[in-house]
Amino acid sequence: MQAQDFLVELGTEELPPKALKKLAEAFLAGVEGGLKDAGLGYAKARYYAAPRRLAVLVEALATQQPDRTTQLDGPPVQAAFDADGNPTKAAEGFARKCGVSLDEIDQSGPKLRFVQNIPGQPATDLLPGIVDAALAALPIPKRMRWGARKTEFVRPTQWLVMLLGDQVVPCEILSQRAGNLSRGHRFHHPDQVTIASPAAYAETLRSAHVIADFAERREIIKSRVDTLAAEQQGTAIVPADLLDEVTALVEWPVPLVCSFEERFLEVPQEALISTMQDNQKYFCLLDANGKLLPRFITVSNLESKDPAQIIAGNEKVVRPRLTDAEFFFKQDQKQPLETRNQRLANVVFQADLGSVFDKAKRVSELAGFIAERIGGDAGRAARAGLLSKCDLATEMVGEFPELQGIAGYYYAKHDGEADDVALALNEQYMPRGAGAELPSTLTGAAVALADKIDTLVCIFGIGMLPTGSKDPYALRRAALGVLRILIEKQLDLDLASALGHAVETNQELGFAQATTAGLSGEALVAQVQDFIFDRLRARYEDEGIDVAVYQSVRAVSPTSPLDFDQRVQAVQAFRRLPEAEALAAANKRVSNILSKADGSVSEQINTALLQEAAEQALANAVAAAEQAVAPLASQRQYTATLEQLAALRAPVDAFFEQVLVNAEDDAVKANRYALLARLRGLFLGVADISLLG
């Protein structure tokens, strides 16, 4: 079968830069899906994307659809004809469905059957529909019309190239008639460009000052920006999203170094970086110490004979924005940060939970409580909590919302607050996302934990629990943040006591309604605690830890996330031991036996009632194990504890092989139950390993 390259390029007005890559990928996927559905084979396909064009190039596309045979089964022959051989309504209906007479239906088998041979269509007949469908399916949230047409697309269309080999595929799509004429760079080569063949597409446009390959343009920008930054003795900040957006803005990228006045460096560099990246799409430069340099890199879309004019224009444009940031920063510093709480007292946090200042007071109280228990300074943590929301009322955060916490850090430093207090104002929001940075100070960790725990308790308390699709207060993220801080920073905090203190703080500050919603204080603590520990299941699954390991630890209800994690890691290691499977099965058996006992089971063993050698051996082994693991358990050396308990496999196996637990003598029976309870208690000191079976 013959094969030729195929090219489709849709020319438009400038496409949305943030969406360009996604549109191009979706266009490629749509074309490939259409070719697959049509049975048109090809070698490979790729997309091209630039500000004014979307294109797909398919190599070695079959020029003819293969012939197909369809087979449709009808009613059984017995039901298709009556006793006299006349066709029934079932037979006639099947023939009508197939669009043929009954004579053309195969009647030789047990059922009526219609077999139709469908000759394949030429690719030129199928490609317009495939392309049209792919364009119609693009992820465009809002389409637009232009002129007097009813045609809709993300931007007005300007031209259409469709070539199969060197021949135009005749069609009209989105009000554009297909041809072989593209267009070059809007300024360097505004004339039409003839595309002789799909294979010549990229190089033909390159000669017209258009680099159509998105990935190539991206790499050119990244490489040149890095080179220019090194020439300035700096390193460029190149976020992936910003790089993609800049790549989508230019057809012929020319990076240039610009500068701004050094006086602006007195402003928090995060504010300067934010405005230059978000508003101007510039790449900022840092020195070897991570400090902002008074220079930035812009990417021009043309090769100017006088690049100094472009540089001067960009420097002129950025100056007012930096001046605004400087003004806000200086204005904010005219009054102490703490005075901002007066404004926050009039800002509602949540209708049932008071103002943002009320939130800060709760965080302050809880942060001091937590700091004492994780080895921090309670006074500084409480101070940081009281200041934690102040920067929300500053001009800087009003203009740059993404600087909340960061602005607070700078203003606290200006006011002479302790270093860890100032850092905590930023660290309270950590981690800001999955895998993001954690607080570096104990004060910051205490405030971050307090802020998240207060939110969880308060929002649960008023009954606004997250659903499968809605979590407006980001409670899941708050819970994950609590877990990450405590586990990854190795902070041992009893979560139940912290949650309980949060509930009490709410009641003391007059928000008793926030802890009711039909729940007592203890029930609310239990509900929030369960919600937080539920988040660990997914965490461990991501780490490749079996859910049974998580459940075995959850069964013994540790209240410290760090303790919980240490137990999980120990059980995971225990599962790899050769004795693990047998001991898990034995524990399950013990659990079942004890669950059927009449009344409570004593753990006091009467050695005089140990009749069998196997039960005497097990009793001695349990007593020895209790002595051996006691110091290990007190130091939370759970892995060593389970390794020690693995030695019980032999006496446990022998006990169940040789001893009848439910002896006829009630005293002997009760004594054996006590022995098993002591055995099970040893393992429950770490986890319920019966759940591993």
Side-chain angles (χ1 to χ4, degrees):
M1 183 175 289
Q2 290 186 338
Q4 291 184 318
D5 293 344
F6 169 67
L7 170 71
V8 54
E9 180 198 53
L10 179 65
T12 68
E13 294 298 330
E14 275 72 6
L15 293 160
K18 290 184 178 180
L20 180 63
K21 186 178 180 183
K22 185 182 294 185
L23 290 173
E25 291 170 343
F27 188 26
L28 173 62
V31 169
E32 288 194 285
L35 295 176
K36 181 179 179 181
D37 292 342
L40 291 171
Y42 60 94
K44 60 181 180 179
R46 59 173 303 175
Y47 72 80
Y48 292 89
R52 297 194 297 150
R53 67 201 75 225
L54 289 172
V56 170
L57 174 63
V58 182
E59 296 183 20
L61 175 66
T63 58
Q64 180 77 21
Q65 188 182 42
D67 295 340
R68 293 173 295 156
T69 299
T70 62
Q71 179 176 299
L72 192 62
D73 287 339
V77 172
Q78 291 179 345
F81 300 94
D82 60 20
D84 298 327
N86 298 316
T88 63
K89 290 183 177 180
E92 293 172 346
F94 179 64
R96 283 196 302 273
K97 177 181 178 181
C98 297
V100 296
S101 66
L102 194 57
D103 294 339
E104 297 176 71
I105 302 292
D106 181 6
Q107 304 172 18
S108 60
K111 292 183 177 181
L112 298 187
R113 176 175 297 169
F114 177 65
V115 179
Q116 183 181 24
N117 294 317
I118 303 174
Q121 295 178 262
T124 51
D125 293 347
L126 298 169
L127 288 170
I130 292 172
V131 171
D132 193 32
L135 289 169
L138 292 184
I140 303 171
K142 189 173 183 180
R143 296 171 183 262
M144 63 182 296
R145 295 182 182 178
W146 58 97
R149 298 185 177 95
K150 293 184 178 180
T151 307
E152 292 183 347
F153 196 56
V154 62
R155 290 292 185 270
T157 60
Q158 296 293 331
W159 72 88
L160 177 66
V161 174
M162 279 186 65
L163 295 174
L164 185 59
D166 57 1
Q167 298 298 309
V168 173
V169 178
C171 64
E172 183 175 314
I173 297 174
L174 292 176
S175 301
Q176 299 299 327
R177 185 162 294 281
N180 64 350
L181 298 178
S182 182
R183 297 183 191 175
H185 190 282
R186 189 181 285 279
F187 304 113
H188 285 302
H189 197 293
D191 301 331
Q192 292 182 327
V193 179
T194 301
I195 308 298
S197 68
Y201 174 69
E203 289 308 313
T204 301
L205 286 184
R206 192 187 306 275
S207 66
H209 274 77
V210 174
I211 299 175
D213 188 334
F214 187 94
E216 181 185 353
R217 259 188 352 272
R218 190 180 193 275
E219 182 53 38
I220 289 172
I221 294 170
K222 177 69 168 64
S223 176
R224 184 59 180 154
V225 165
D226 287 343
T227 299
L228 290 174
E231 291 174 1
Q232 301 297 319
Q233 287 77 51
T235 303
I237 306 174
V238 188
D241 290 345
L242 178 61
L243 181 58
D244 283 343
E245 189 173 356
V246 172
T247 302
L249 285 167
V250 297
E251 292 181 319
W252 193 259
V254 181
L256 299 168
V257 177
C258 309
S259 62
F260 58 85
E261 291 90 332
E262 291 197 22
R263 65 182 174 87
F264 289 123
L265 294 178
E266 296 177 9
V267 179
Q269 68 180 46
E270 292 86 353
L272 304 181
I273 292 170
S274 175
T275 190
M276 286 192 283
Q277 287 183 348
D278 298 344
N279 300 117
Q280 304 304 129
K281 315 305 174 189
Y282 295 152
F283 297 105
C284 302
L285 305 184
L286 302 178
D287 65 16
N289 298 317
K291 300 298 182 182
L292 186 66
L293 290 170
R295 283 175 285 286
F296 59 90
I297 296 174
T298 185
V299 180
S300 172
N301 189 31
L302 54 82
E303 207 162 331
S304 175
K305 294 179 181 178
D306 187 7
Q309 288 192 27
I310 297 176
I311 293 171
N314 280 276
E315 291 175 348
K316 182 178 180 181
V317 167
V318 79
R319 191 172 296 114
R321 293 195 174 275
L322 301 185
T323 301
D324 286 346
E326 180 185 42
F327 173 77
F328 295 138
F329 184 58
K330 289 183 176 180
Q331 284 294 107
D332 286 338
Q333 289 179 317
K334 290 181 179 179
Q335 54 182 302
L337 185 61
E338 187 175 6
T339 62
R340 307 287 177 171
N341 274 329
Q342 297 169 10
R343 289 178 59 184
L344 295 178
N346 298 316
V347 178
V348 175
F349 169 65
Q350 204 282 336
D352 294 327
L353 300 170
S355 68
V356 176
F357 182 41
D358 291 321
K359 164 79 169 171
K361 288 189 288 186
R362 295 196 301 269
V363 171
S364 175
E365 171 66 26
L366 185 55
F369 175 88
I370 291 173
E372 282 185 339
R373 285 150 182 80
I374 62 173
D377 185 291
R380 292 206 296 270
R383 176 64 177 168
L386 192 64
L387 299 175
S388 61
K389 308 304 174 187
C390 286
D391 68 352
L392 298 179
T394 63
E395 298 295 332
M396 182 68 83
V397 173
E399 181 69 16
F400 305 104
E402 65 275 14
L403 293 187
Q404 64 180 33
I406 296 171
Y409 163 76
Y410 284 102
Y411 296 146
K413 290 286 289 180
H414 176 267
D415 292 348
E417 300 286 351
D419 287 346
D420 59 341
V421 171
L423 282 169
L425 303 192
N426 181 36
E427 293 180 342
Q428 65 175 306
Y429 297 106
M430 295 180 180
R432 285 182 163 90
E437 183 183 2
L438 296 175
S440 62
T441 65
L442 288 175
T443 300
V447 177
L449 290 167
D451 184 54
K452 294 168 178 59
I453 289 173
D454 175 76
T455 298
L456 285 161
V457 166
C458 287
I459 302 303
F460 266 79
I462 59 176
M464 296 183 66
L465 280 65
T467 64
S469 60
K470 293 182 180 180
D471 186 9
Y473 289 93
L475 300 184
R476 292 185 181 88
R477 187 170 64 186
L480 287 169
V482 169
L483 293 170
R484 279 199 62 206
I485 292 170
L486 293 175
I487 292 173
E488 294 178 31
K489 291 190 69 65
Q490 300 282 293
L491 301 176
D492 192 17
L493 176 69
D494 186 301
L495 198 54
S497 66
L499 292 170
H501 191 77
V503 171
E504 292 172 9
T505 300
N506 273 277
Q507 293 170 334
E508 290 168 3
L509 293 177
F511 293 100
Q513 72 271 29
T515 58
T516 55
L519 295 173
S520 66
E522 290 183 1
L524 177 57
V525 167
Q527 186 183 44
V528 177
Q529 182 173 299
D530 285 345
F531 177 79
I532 293 174
F533 280 116
D534 283 346
R535 309 277 76 75
L536 277 175
R537 176 169 179 161
R539 174 190 171 101
Y540 290 129
E541 286 178 346
D542 290 343
E543 293 177 5
I545 294 175
D546 193 273
V547 67
V549 174
Y550 161 81
Q551 290 171 334
S552 72
V553 176
R554 187 72 185 271
V556 298
S557 303
T559 56
S560 163
L562 177 61
D563 183 37
F564 195 112
D565 184 68
Q566 291 168 339
R567 292 170 187 261
V568 164
Q569 303 306 330
V571 175
Q572 180 72 356
F574 171 74
R575 291 194 76 186
R576 294 191 283 266
L577 298 178
E579 300 89 351
E581 186 175 352
L583 284 171
N587 267 268
K588 192 169 187 176
R589 186 172 179 180
V590 170
S591 177
N592 290 334
I593 291 172
L594 295 178
S595 67
K596 297 174 183 177
D598 297 328
S600 60
V601 176
S602 170
E603 292 191 4
Q604 295 299 318
I605 300 173
N606 185 344
T607 55
L609 294 175
L610 297 173
Q611 300 175 346
E612 305 288 342
E615 64 180 323
Q616 293 170 357
L618 179 58
N620 291 333
V622 166
E626 287 174 338
Q627 286 189 334
V629 303
L632 298 175
S634 65
Q635 298 171 22
R636 292 187 180 175
Q637 296 183 29
Y638 298 124
T639 301
T641 297
L642 289 176
E643 288 174 351
Q644 187 77 35
L645 295 181
L648 292 172
R649 177 184 175 179
V652 167
D653 287 348
F655 176 85
F656 282 116
E657 287 173 4
Q658 302 171 27
V659 178
L660 177 64
V661 177
N662 292 316
E664 292 184 6
D665 187 319
D666 288 340
V668 172
K669 175 182 174 181
N671 201 51
R672 289 172 180 172
Y673 270 59
L675 174 57
L676 293 180
R678 290 275 283 277
L679 170 67
R680 180 154 170 74
L682 278 171
F683 287 94
L684 287 176
V686 180
D688 186 353
I689 69 166
S690 69
L691 298 174
L692 300 179

